[in-house]
Amino acid sequence: MTQQSAIVLFAHGARDPDWAQPFQKIQGMVRDKMPGVVVELAFLELMQPTLDEAVANLAARGIKNIGVIPLFMAQGGHLKEDLPRKLAEIRRQHPTVSFRISPPIGEVHGILAAIAEWVCGEQDC
Amino acid sequence: MTQQSAIVLFAHGARDPDWAQPFQKIQGMVRDKMPGVVVELAFLELMQPTLDEAVANLAARGIKNIGVIPLFMAQGGHLKEDLPRKLAEIRRQHPTVSFRISPPIGEVHGILAAIAEWVCGEQDC
C-alpha cells in the first residue's frame, strides 16, 4: 500500500446513527495499523457517504488504488447484485483507478472463529 | 451451561439460501466447543426458523435456559425495537424459560479487532 492507496470499509447503513459506531471503531483500528493509508467508510443505503461519493472524493485526492472491504456478515443480494452493479458504474466513472474487492467477513475463517470463541465465553462454557 | 441449556444464534435472514452459510459455520464451531449444549440458528425474517419457532422447539424439549446471541454487525432498529418486542411476546409464551441476551457482535472489542487485523492483511499492510 502506498500513499496513493485507500481502503473503503463498505457497510449496509441504517436509520439509527448509532448503527455506524462499530464501523467507525474498525476504521479507527485500521487507521492506527496503517498510518500511511487513507481509510474511509461508505454505505449501501440510509447513511452517507455512498460508495460512489466515497470513491469520487478519493479519486479527487489523486488516489489510484482502492481496496473495498464489504463489512457484511454474509453474502446475499446486496453483495452478489447491488455491489457489482455499483462497482461497474464506478469503474466507468473512474477508469484510471484500480479496485480490489475483498470477500465479506462471513467468509473469513479467522473472524468466524473469533465470533464462535466469544459466543462460548458469553455462555460460560 | 447444563444440558437444559441452549444457545440461539439469531441472524437477520435473506432471500438467498447461501446467505446462511457463515452462521451455519459458526453454529458448527460453537457445537464443537460446547458438546453438551444445544446450539440452534434463528432468523429475524426471510429464513426459518424464526426466533419464536426456535424457542418453542427448545421449550418442548425441556430446555430451561436460552442464551440469545444476535449475530448482527451493529445495533439499529432490528435489535433496539424488533428483538425486544419479539422477546417480550416469547417470554409471555414461555414463562418458565429463562433468557439471557448478548450484545451484538459489533460491540465486542475482540471481534472488531479481529476484523481490523484481517482488513490489514487483505491490503498487504
Side-chain angles (χ1 to χ4, degrees):
Chain A
M1 302 294 286
T2 69
Q3 291 194 348
Q4 286 191 315
S5 297
I7 292 172
V8 177
L9 304 172
F10 179 59
H12 187 283
R15 283 183 185 80
D16 185 335
D18 290 349
W19 189 88
Q21 286 179 9
F23 307 101
Q24 290 160 349
K25 286 182 189 166
I26 294 169
Q27 180 185 31
M29 290 174 178
V30 176
R31 281 179 170 163
D32 287 346
K33 288 177 187 291
M34 306 172 77
V37 174
V38 178
V39 184
E40 299 295 347
L41 296 180
F43 300 94
L44 178 66
E45 59 187 40
L46 301 169
M47 287 180 158
Q48 271 83 39
T50 60
L51 186 59
D52 57 334
E53 288 168 347
V55 169
N57 287 339
L58 292 169
R61 291 164 66 178
I63 301 285
K64 295 296 178 202
N65 299 287
I66 299 179
V68 178
I69 313 267
L71 293 182
F72 287 67
M73 278 298 294
Q75 183 147 265
H78 289 325
L79 295 192
K80 288 183 180 175
E81 293 156 30
D82 299 346
L83 179 58
R85 190 170 54 233
K86 283 177 191 296
L87 274 171
E89 176 60 25
I90 287 169
R91 285 183 204 269
R92 270 194 294 275
Q93 291 171 347
H94 304 284
T96 62
V97 178
S98 153
F99 293 90
R100 179 176 170 182
I101 317 303
S102 293
I105 58 176
E107 295 189 3
V108 183
H109 180 85
I111 296 173
L112 300 187
I115 293 171
E117 188 68 33
W118 167 73
V119 170
C120 189
E122 274 293 291
Q123 299 297 323
D124 305 326
C125 68
Chain B
M1 301 293 287
T2 71
Q3 291 193 348
Q4 286 192 314
S5 296
I7 292 173
V8 177
L9 304 173
F10 179 59
H12 186 283
R15 284 182 185 80
D16 185 336
D18 290 349
W19 189 87
Q21 286 179 8
F23 307 101
Q24 291 159 349
K25 287 183 189 164
I26 294 169
Q27 179 185 31
M29 290 174 178
V30 176
R31 281 179 172 163
D32 287 347
K33 288 176 187 290
M34 306 172 76
V37 174
V38 178
V39 184
E40 299 294 348
L41 296 180
F43 299 95
L44 178 67
E45 60 187 41
L46 302 169
M47 287 179 159
Q48 272 81 41
T50 60
L51 187 59
D52 57 335
E53 289 167 347
V55 169
N57 288 339
L58 293 168
R61 293 165 64 178
I63 300 285
K64 295 297 179 202
N65 299 287
I66 299 178
V68 178
I69 313 266
L71 293 182
F72 286 67
M73 279 297 296
Q75 183 147 265
H78 289 324
L79 296 191
K80 288 184 180 176
E81 293 157 30
D82 300 345
L83 179 59
R85 190 169 54 232
K86 284 177 190 295
L87 275 171
E89 176 60 25
I90 287 170
R91 285 183 204 268
R92 270 194 295 274
Q93 291 171 348
H94 304 283
T96 63
V97 178
S98 152
F99 294 89
R100 178 176 169 182
I101 318 302
S102 293
I105 58 176
E107 295 189 4
V108 182
H109 179 84
I111 296 174
L112 299 187
I115 294 171
E117 189 67 33
W118 168 72
V119 169
C120 189
E122 273 292 292
Q123 300 296 324
D124 306 324
C125 68

